[in-house]
Amino acid sequence: MAYGSYLAEFLLGKGYQVFGMVRRSSTEKSDRIEHIRSRITLLQGDLLDQTSLIEALRESHPDEVYNLAAQSFVPTSWNQPVLTGEFTALGVTRLLEAVRKVNPKIKFYQASSSEMFGKVRETPQNEKTPFYPRSPYGVAKVYGHFITVNYRESYSIFACSGILFNHESSRRGLEFVTRKVTDGAARIKLGLARELRLGNLDSKRDWGFAGDYVEAMWLMLQQDNPDDYVVGTGKTHSVKELCKIAFSHVGLDYEDYVKVDKAFMRPAEVDLLVADPSKAGKVLGWKPKVGFEQLIAMMVDHDLERLKTQKPQK
Ligand code: GDP
């Protein structure tokens, strides 16, 4: 999980002993935590496996648990709706059960998502806005949100749900649109690609910097009482604007390179997602620091740097 690495850095900075839970896989992929690998302890565990979660908590004795794990890519959730539900919905119950059994005093953070608002009932969206998810992923996240609320109310567990709007960074997976565009612009600039194929250019999102958002998550667990918070910037941009900023940062016009491809369109789209983060501002004293243009420029620069040793296409 891309922003798990920002959370780990943030908690190390606060003097925490940090454990990360990883799933066993035949290809280990840990480049996002390479720079802090020697300062954190990795435990094996899997949201599909109840026993492994109980064991991970017994071994690490945590005061706080942050559940950022999920099958988190929306398009994949249409291809694998049941598996998405197992990880993203039931996985939350398994982890909450582990907390309840091992030590119900553990504070718990659940990564909820703006995708729960989907076909939005009001704009901007706050903690009281009704949910209307538009993908199997969104549906699974609604379950995760309410099971977190339910364990708080049923067992007095200090469980918080952070309803995070899109959080981006240069560690974001290349399949997500921000990173796909910053990587694409950098490749085209360096002569490594000639075009960039995208889906719906008119869709809009409230995009913020992942590094800012992990602080809000931590702040939720430092309050006197557990609660739910919307975390976002309150500003919205289209995919088109994203392209314009990324390409002009490398001195190019996106209209010369971006092609619309039906393959990247979705069976159902969410509407205008935009956060009303005023409760997080008032109660947590949180506000985002990095603006959209700065975020995209940062990501393009990172991709240019990463790709500059590759050979151009003939
Ligand atoms: P999401 O909000 O978690 O679904 O984040 P994404 O980054 O995957 O998608 C954000 C928006 O960009 C969605 O409305 C997509 O339809 C739109 N989009 C347009 N073209 C693309 C593309 O090529 N890839 C992805 N992932 N999204 C695209």
Side-chain angles (χ1 to χ4, degrees):
M1 176 61 62
Y3 67 122
S5 61
Y6 285 102
L7 178 64
E9 280 169 25
F10 178 85
L11 295 176
L12 286 170
K14 294 263 172 217
Y16 279 53
Q17 185 184 3
V18 176
F19 293 84
M21 199 182 82
V22 289
R23 265 192 308 150
R24 204 210 78 82
S25 85
S26 49
T27 49
E28 294 300 329
K29 202 172 157 284
S30 60
D31 31 323
R32 288 166 181 146
I33 49 167
E34 214 44 67
H35 60 297
I36 47 171
R37 183 63 196 85
S38 63
R39 300 168 65 203
I40 61 180
T41 310
L42 295 184
L43 300 170
Q44 285 207 350
D46 194 314
L47 284 182
L48 302 187
D49 188 279
Q50 183 73 68
T51 308
S52 72
L53 302 177
I54 292 174
E55 277 310 306
L57 296 191
R58 286 208 176 119
E59 258 180 70
S60 53
H61 294 293
D63 297 304
E64 300 175 357
V65 167
Y66 295 82
N67 179 33
L68 313 188
Q71 189 304 96
S72 68
F73 191 44
V74 173
T76 299
S77 78
W78 274 287
N79 300 331
Q80 303 189 335
V82 176
L83 188 66
T84 299
E86 285 287 350
F87 281 114
T88 308
L90 281 178
V92 187
T93 311
R94 293 191 191 98
L95 195 48
L96 281 164
E97 272 296 283
V99 165
R100 190 168 79 84
K101 292 220 163 77
V102 174
N103 174 12
K105 295 217 157 25
I106 293 171
K107 294 181 176 181
F108 181 82
Y109 172 86
Q110 166 61 13
S112 289
S113 163
S114 55
E115 291 288 323
M116 301 192 303
F117 295 123
K119 194 168 163 58
V120 299
R121 307 285 90 185
E122 62 180 348
T123 298
Q125 295 88 43
N126 63 39
E127 294 76 7
K128 297 209 159 59
T129 304
F131 299 134
Y132 195 139
R134 292 275 277 171
S135 63
Y137 168 77
V139 173
K141 278 288 179 187
V142 171
Y143 176 99
H145 171 80
F146 278 122
I147 201 70
T148 302
V149 173
N150 185 260
Y151 270 57
R152 178 166 79 218
E153 294 175 355
S154 302
Y155 305 115
S156 302
I157 289 175
F158 195 111
C160 298
S161 168
I163 305 172
L164 264 58
F165 282 63
N166 298 46
H167 32 280
E168 311 301 316
S169 74
S170 52
R171 297 180 201 164
R172 191 60 141 153
L174 287 165
E175 67 276 26
F176 289 88
V177 76
T178 51
R179 190 70 201 294
K180 186 170 169 183
V181 169
T182 63
D183 175 81
R187 278 179 195 277
I188 291 168
K189 177 69 183 177
L190 296 171
L192 301 171
R194 296 197 178 91
E195 60 172 31
L196 177 62
R197 304 186 87 85
L198 295 174
N200 185 1
L201 300 186
D202 295 319
S203 50
K204 290 185 166 175
R205 286 290 188 281
D206 178 334
W207 280 297
F209 174 49
D212 286 345
Y213 288 23
V214 297
E215 185 187 12
M217 292 160 37
W218 175 77
L219 283 167
M220 287 177 211
L221 299 195
Q222 314 314 312
Q223 304 305 303
D224 291 336
N225 296 303
D227 207 345
D228 308 321
Y229 298 88
V230 160
V231 179
T233 68
K235 296 192 185 88
T236 182
H237 300 272
S238 65
V239 173
K240 215 176 268 174
E241 284 169 70
L242 159 67
C243 292
K244 203 178 282 175
I245 294 170
F247 279 80
S248 72
H249 188 67
V250 294
L252 300 175
D253 181 349
Y254 83 95
E255 288 182 278
D256 297 336
Y257 304 97
V258 170
K259 306 267 157 16
V260 174
D261 185 334
K262 280 209 290 293
F264 299 107
M265 299 283 187
R266 299 179 177 190
E269 265 289 0
V270 303
D271 294 328
L272 179 56
L273 288 179
V274 52
D276 169 5
S278 49
K279 179 175 169 186
K282 229 178 286 151
V283 181
L284 306 177
W286 178 84
K287 62 174 191 301
K289 298 184 183 89
V290 178
F292 184 64
E293 298 211 1
Q294 190 189 350
L295 169 64
I296 300 308
M298 233 159 62
M299 290 171 66
V300 174
D301 288 340
H302 170 92
D303 283 320
L304 279 173
E305 191 58 34
R306 184 178 59 93
L307 295 165
K308 75 178 181 202
T309 50
Q310 297 196 5
K311 296 240 173 336
Q313 278 186 343
K314 288 274 156 358

